[in-house]
Every structure is written in C-alpha cells, then in structure tokens.
Amino acid sequence: MSYEATQVQWDAPVPAVVRQLQMPALIIGIVGAGLAIVAAVLDFRQFLHAYLFAFTFWNGVTLGAMVLLMIQYLTGGGWGILGRRTMEAAIRNIWLMALFFLPILAGVLLNKLYIWTDTARVEADHHLHQKATYLNIPFFLGRLVFYFTVWLVWAYFLSRWSLEQDQSGDKKLAQKLRNLSGPGLLVMAITMTFSNIDWLMSLEPYWFSSMYPLINMVGNLLSAVCFTVAFVALMSDMPPFKGLITSKHFRDFGNLMLAFTMLWTYTSLSQFLITYSGNLPEETPWYLNRLNGGWGYVAASLLVGHFMLPFAVLLQRQVKDPGKPLIYVGAFIIFMRMVDLFWWIKPTYDAGHGFHAVEHLSHFSLTWMDIVTPLAIGGIWVWFYLRNLQQRPLIPRHDPNMKEAFAHGGH
C-alpha cells in the first residue's frame, strides 16, 4: 500500500484508553498536593528533601523529551516521527515545571535546602568561602531565570513551528526546525549541566564530579524515551497508529531504550571507577554515604534493575517487535529512574535531621513525603500532558520525512 493510498485515520482523536487516564491523574495530583501541603506545614525542611527528588525526576522527563525531539529533527529518523506528538506534549509542560520550582526557591531563600545559603557557615568554612563566588543566592537566581527562559523559548518555537507545519504543509518549516535543533542541543547541554550543578551537586558542595551532570542528562533522556515509547505502544493498535506503526518501528524504539540504558551504565560506572581509583578524601564520601547504612541495597537494586534486567530483556526481539511489552519495560525503567534519583539525593541528609555531615555516614530512610511528592507533581504533570496530547493530531502528516517513516514500516 502506498503512502497516499493508505487508510490511516490521520485526524483520529487520542484513543479513549489514554483519555481515561486524565481524570485519575488529576485526582492523584490533587490529593497528593494536599498531602504535600500538610507535609510542608509539619516539617518544611523534610518536605523540601522529598520535593527536590520529585521535581528533579519530572523536570528530567520534560527536558529529556526536548532533547530527544531535537535529536529526531536532526537525524530525520522515521522512529521519532510517530512519537513526536508525545514528545511535544511533554515539552509544553516546561512552564509548569517553572511553577513547581517555587517551593525549592522558597527553600533557598529561607536557608532550608543548601548549606551554602547559610552566610555564617560560609564565612566560617574555608572551602565554602572559596566557592561563594558561584554559590550565592543572587547568582543562583540569575542562573535559574536564564535556564527556564531558554527552555521556554526553545519549547515555544519547537511546538509552534511543528503546528504550523502540520497546518500548512510548508516544507521550509522543517528546515527551520532543524536549524533550531542544532544549536538547541548545545544550549540544552550547557543549561542542563549547570542546572544539575546548581540544584543537585551543590547539595554537597565539598564534593565534585565532571561526570555527575552527564549521568543525569543521560538518565533524563532514558526517562523521556521510555515515557514516549510507553504511550505510543499503548495507542499502537488504535487509530491513527493502527495500520501505520509496525514491528520495525517498535524495534527501533526498543533499541533506543537499550542504547540509553547502556549509556547510563557506562557513565555511572565511569564515575565510580574514577572515584575508586583516585581514592581522594574529598571524593570518596559521596559513595561511602550511598554504599553503607542500608543504601548499599539500593545501589545493588540499581545494578540489577537499572541495567542487568533491562539489558537482558531489551536484547530480545520478541519483546521489542510486538510493542505492547515495551509498555511494561518502560514503566519499570521509569520506576528505577526514580530509585536512582532517590539514591542520589536522599543520602545527602541524615535521616531528615538537617544537612548530612561529611564525617558521618547516612542511614537509609523512606518517609511518606518521599512517596507523596512524586505523586503530587506527577499527577498534575500527567494531566497537563494528556491535555496537550489531545490538542493536536497525533500524527504530523505533513512532515517531509513522513513518507520515509511510512516506508520504514514495510508498507
């Protein structure tokens, strides 16, 4: 069957199975937000520890989707065209993440989250005093505004020009999107690197790693890929995907998930081996805090659940080709991404009682706040995501590479 003669229902609405997720997501978000407010009232510092973890994950999905979208524009691969609307729906939540940052901003201003915001401690500590040129509240706020401004601008034009292309069929817009994506990847690499340093690595300002931002960026891409694949697979046997998406497309999606899983493992292992071989007193405490006091079991679960199991499963063609199994694989990897970020952030604090001291080891702790906050942000995020998804046709029919995507499926 030719591209022109296909019976694909190009303008079919978002399938009911997806639309039905919107109300439960909103209920979870509202209930979770209510409990999060209670948590903030009971113990604002402990709430911020949990909230930073939740914000980091969902912001990572949003930014990862933007990077993935620009990679697809530059490569022109048929795999990404069918998932483009799901990625665009995610990046249109950037403004929401800016709002979700407000509690973290309050924690910075009230000296509840980062030790470098404590002026007295900075003046008394030689190491913190040396880093005060970069780690200070005014400069932090300036960088914060810059990050979200850049992300909002890129998301706006990626979304706007894609919609205009779908409405007009103007092929010049495809070139504009590629021109925007080239420098966009460089800008995203820079802003994501420094935002990771500001929001996460500065939790322990005595410690540093050049691999740290890269590991999280790769993790963000992996989360975005899994999120995209899960929703495309969920809708694959319903219009407009029915008759258009095939096992070849899902094989590409599965291979992409496998590639980012392996890249995450490589970068994570590289950081560990560099730290282990160097054995420097200013570097080893980060891992000592995360391999003792019960955290070693979490680290072992990451080795098995974040690498070994997904790696073994995604090597199997019978898992990738049908499409539907990728929903469960993607959901599992997303869960392990949350475990990974929890393992990154939570040991910084000593069981919720102030900032974790470098000379003491942390002990594993999981509070109800650590469960409520991801559900609160996630429920609201998913509700807006599904609303965004319903505002445009699911297939960018007038994309110049659409014929290639159609032919790639073997039609």
Side-chain angles (χ1 to χ4, degrees), residues 49-83:
H49 303 169
Y51 189 87
L52 179 63
F53 148 66
F55 172 87
T56 301
F57 172 76
W58 288 106
N59 190 57
V61 175
T62 311
L63 298 181
M66 191 183 305
V67 173
L68 189 64
L69 181 61
M70 289 190 284
I71 290 175
Q72 196 282 319
Y73 277 126
L74 289 175
T75 61
W79 59 268
I81 294 178
L82 300 180

Side-chain angles (χ1 to χ4, degrees), residues 181-213:
S181 298
L185 287 179
L186 177 61
V187 168
M188 291 300 292
I190 295 172
T191 53
M192 291 173 72
T193 294
F194 281 93
S195 63
N196 274 297
I197 293 172
D198 290 356
W199 304 344
L200 298 182
M201 198 158 71
S202 74
L203 286 168
E204 297 176 84
Y206 302 100
W207 178 82
F208 53 87
S209 169
S210 58
M211 293 293 291
Y212 187 94

Side-chain angles (χ1 to χ4, degrees), residues 90-113:
I91 70 173
R92 296 209 299 278
N93 275 351
I94 286 287
W95 68 271
L96 185 64
M97 300 315 301
L99 290 180
F100 279 143
F101 195 85
L102 291 178
I104 299 175
L105 181 60
V108 172
L109 297 176
L110 296 175
N111 186 28
K112 297 290 186 179
L113 195 55

Side-chain angles (χ1 to χ4, degrees), residues 68 71-72 79-80 87 221-222 224-226 228-229 249-263 314 320 326 333:
L68 189 64
I71 290 175
Q72 196 282 319
W79 59 268
M87 291 181 272
L221 272 168
L222 178 58
V225 168
C226 292
T228 297
V229 173
H249 295 110
F250 281 121
R251 196 177 310 150
D252 288 344
F253 279 133
N255 290 338
L256 199 61
M257 293 166 66
L258 176 61
F260 282 118
T261 297
M262 295 173 65
L263 184 57
L314 290 171
K320 294 178 285 190
L326 292 179
I333 293 176

Side-chain angles (χ1 to χ4, degrees), residues 345-386:
I345 296 172
K346 192 61 184 273
T348 304
Y349 308 100
D350 190 9
H353 301 296
F355 296 106
H356 178 69
V358 177
E359 62 272 13
H360 298 103
L361 293 179
S362 177
H363 297 279
F364 176 81
S365 65
L366 176 67
T367 70
W368 63 276
M369 299 182 193
D370 299 319
I371 299 173
V372 165
T373 49
L375 291 176
I377 295 179
I380 297 172
W381 191 96
V382 170
W383 187 87
F384 278 101
Y385 170 85
L386 295 175

